[in-house]
Amino acid sequence: MPISKELIDQLLQDCHSPQELLGESGLLKVIWPRLGGHALKRGLVVQIPSG
């Protein structure tokens, strides 16, 4: 499923600093657990080979 550039822009519109994107309450901190949980529910987890 492709994600529109508009959706990404909308998510990022309030991120004006690295802290707002990557910080303790930043966008990625909020989205990452939801993405992981969503992937696990649907069996979308891929094992990444180590080194």
Side-chain angles (χ1 to χ4, degrees):
M1 173 177 109
I3 297 174
S4 72
K5 291 179 183 179
E6 291 81 14
L7 175 58
I8 293 171
D9 290 343
Q10 186 178 7
L11 289 169
L12 294 173
Q13 72 185 359
D14 293 326
C15 293
H16 302 289
S17 71
Q19 187 68 19
E20 290 174 336
L21 180 62
L22 303 169
E24 190 60 35
S25 60
L27 179 63
L28 289 180
K29 190 80 166 190
V30 173
I31 289 178
W32 192 251
R34 300 217 35 199
L35 287 173
H38 195 74
L40 284 172
K41 284 182 195 176
R42 287 165 174 69
L44 299 175
V45 177
V46 176
Q47 188 169 6
I48 300 171
S50 60

